[in-house]
């Protein structure tokens, strides 16, 4: 009994919120928000992912080392996405494909 | 430290020699798993980057192709997978509290839900193949988007296929965990295998949380 044991009540609450968000993301997809449809979809997905990481994956109660790896992987993913998009999405003419 | 033999005797059975304490041992396994998951984030990250570029270039073709996917199947699978994450979290809780029967029950439920996910996915692939969604010589689509819809479906099969492969590995992992639990290897002192298998399972769930809206929900209002 050395670790922080998360009460099952927390898991059920997170599960309920995740289900609500799933319903919300489907409902929003059928409303025309123009360019904000994708923004809404991604905001909800990131929120859901954060809940899973923090509670189901215990990062909220994790060591600083765990936090460092989690934040680090998000940071490296950001490098991957930002540098790639800064090239491909700023080209004047559409190339191959 | 004196080389006293009694020090050895008081070691917990689950503690390997190279660690000072059970807590340090568990931190090491959790750390190792997270580093592995960081590589997995980048592995899937490249595919999401590819998807984003092509979607930005061929937005209309992507919307038209996305409409061909079965939204009810994708939504049901999201519910199935999130529920399996709940049962996985409850399995870890059961392991931490030393409740072996409950642990084994939740592992079985998690495996059943994972298999249900793959079943629904297989049904989707089957209907997709029949309707000519598989890029290549047999591909069928309206002529306006014929070429670029193939890019969408290539990414769809690649990303969901790799995700499904992760699910199969996850289910196999759960079978091993079930075996370890049945044998009594897992105790409230030594449950790191359940904990880090759970981390893997939740990660695969997170990948789907992004795949579902990006693949199934493009321009559904149109």
């Amino acid at each position: 009994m050395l670790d922080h044991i998360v009460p099952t009540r927390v898991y059920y609450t997170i599960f309920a919120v995740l289900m609500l968000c799933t319903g919300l993301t489907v409902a929003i997809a059928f409303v025309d928000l123009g360019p904000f449809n994708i923004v809404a979809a991604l905001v909800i997905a990131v929120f859901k992912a954060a809940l899973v990481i923090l509670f189901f994956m215990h990062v909220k109660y994790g060591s600083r080392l765990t936090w460092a790896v989690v934040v680090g992987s998000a940071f490296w993913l950001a490098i991957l996405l930002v540098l790639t998009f800064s090239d491909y999405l700023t080209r004047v003419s559409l190339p191959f494909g | 430290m004196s080389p006293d033999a009694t020090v050895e005797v008081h070691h917990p059975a689950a503690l390997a020699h190279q660690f000072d304490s059970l807590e340090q041992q568990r931190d090491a396994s959790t750390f190792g798993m997270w580093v592995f998951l960081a590589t997995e984030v980048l592995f899937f990250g490249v595919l999401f980057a590819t998807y984003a570029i092509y979607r930005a270039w061929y937005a209309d073709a992507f919307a038209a192709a996305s409409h061909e996917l079965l939204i009810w199947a994708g939504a049901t699978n999201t519910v199935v997978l999130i529920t399996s994450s709940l049962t996985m979290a409850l399995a870890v809780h059961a392991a931490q509290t030393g409740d072996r029967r409950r642990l084994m029950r939740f592992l079985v439920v998690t495996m059943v839900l994972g298999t249900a996910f793959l079943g629904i996915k297989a049904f989707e692939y089957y209907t997709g193949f029949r309707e000519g969604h598989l890029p290549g010589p047999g591909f069928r689509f309206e002529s306006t988007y014929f070429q670029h819809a193939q890019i969408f479906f290539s990414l769809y099969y690649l990303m969901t296929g790799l995700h499904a492969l992760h699910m199969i590995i996850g289910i196999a992992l759960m079978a091993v965990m079930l075996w370890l639990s049945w044998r009594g290897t897992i105790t409230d002192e030594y449950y790191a295998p359940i904990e880090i298998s759970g981390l893997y399972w939740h990660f695969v769930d997170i990948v789907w949380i992004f795949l579902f809206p990006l693949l199934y929900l493009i321009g559904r209002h149109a």
Side-chain angles (χ1 to χ4, degrees):
Chain A
M1 297 298 96
L2 304 160
D3 249 10
H4 181 95
I5 297 182
V6 183
T8 53
R9 173 174 38 83
V10 174
Y11 291 139
Y12 287 116
T13 309
I14 296 301
F15 172 74
V17 177
L18 288 173
M19 282 298 166
L20 281 176
C21 288
T22 303
L24 189 65
T25 199
V26 174
I28 283 184
F30 287 95
V31 182
D32 188 359
L33 300 175
F36 290 102
N37 272 111
I38 179 66
V39 176
L42 284 177
V43 166
I44 294 173
V46 169
F47 177 67
K48 284 167 79 178
L51 288 183
V52 173
I53 291 168
L54 288 174
F55 294 96
F56 283 177
M57 298 171 93
H58 303 154
V59 169
K60 184 173 187 289
Y61 319 96
S63 64
R64 277 164 179 250
L65 195 57
T66 308
W67 275 94
V69 181
V70 175
V71 174
S73 55
F75 181 67
W76 251 258
L77 179 66
I79 293 175
L80 188 158
L81 296 177
V82 169
L83 290 188
T84 309
F85 293 161
S86 66
D87 173 6
Y88 281 98
L89 299 184
T90 54
R91 293 184 185 185
V92 178
S93 63
L94 296 186
F96 63 91
Chain B
M1 250 308 208
S2 69
D4 188 351
T6 55
V7 173
E8 294 293 323
V9 171
H10 290 294
H11 264 201
L15 183 62
H17 290 298
Q18 67 270 33
F19 296 110
D20 289 337
S21 64
L22 284 168
E23 195 177 6
Q24 191 197 37
Q25 177 173 273
R26 192 158 45 237
D27 281 352
S29 8
T30 307
F31 175 62
M33 194 62 193
W34 271 107
V35 170
F36 169 68
L37 291 182
T39 71
E40 288 270 80
V41 166
L42 296 179
F43 175 72
F44 278 101
V46 178
L47 292 168
F48 280 106
T50 312
Y51 165 89
I53 291 162
Y54 279 115
R55 177 171 167 174
W57 283 354
Y58 310 122
D60 295 342
F62 267 50
S66 171
H67 281 211
E68 298 295 317
L69 298 182
L70 304 172
I71 193 169
W72 63 265
T76 308
N77 260 349
T78 308
V79 170
V80 168
L81 215 48
I82 290 175
T83 311
S84 79
S85 261
L86 172 70
T87 58
M88 185 69 238
L90 292 172
V92 173
H93 182 272
Q96 288 174 324
T97 50
D99 191 340
R100 184 159 150 266
R101 285 179 62 89
R102 203 159 149 266
L103 165 62
M104 291 174 68
R105 203 160 53 227
F106 279 126
L107 286 176
V108 169
V109 176
T110 306
M111 287 171 74
V112 168
L113 289 168
T115 310
F117 176 95
L118 288 174
I120 295 173
K121 202 73 223 148
F123 171 76
E124 282 186 85
Y125 280 176
Y126 171 73
T127 46
F129 293 162
R130 279 179 63 115
E131 288 171 24
H133 290 163
L134 193 66
F139 187 72
R140 294 197 303 273
F141 209 79
E142 55 176 302
S143 55
T144 330
Y145 301 124
F146 183 82
Q147 200 185 356
H148 296 150
Q150 290 194 63
I151 298 176
F152 175 85
F153 281 111
S154 297
L155 285 167
Y156 166 77
Y157 284 114
L158 183 61
M159 293 170 95
T160 58
L162 278 171
H163 178 266
L165 178 66
H166 277 75
M167 290 292 298
I168 293 167
I169 294 169
I171 292 169
L173 211 53
M174 290 308 142
V176 176
M177 290 309 119
L178 193 61
W179 161 247
L180 288 180
S181 312
W182 182 76
R183 259 192 2 179
T185 308
I186 305 296
T187 63
D188 58 358
E189 278 188 338
Y190 181 69
Y191 55 80
I194 306 288
E195 167 88 19
I196 65 173
S197 305
L199 291 179
Y200 179 83
W201 192 269
H202 296 308
F203 169 79
V204 178
D205 182 23
I206 289 172
V207 172
W208 184 260
I209 284 176
F210 284 95
L211 284 179
F212 172 58
L214 290 177
L215 293 174
Y216 290 77
L217 300 178
I218 309 176
R220 283 284 176 178
H221 52 80

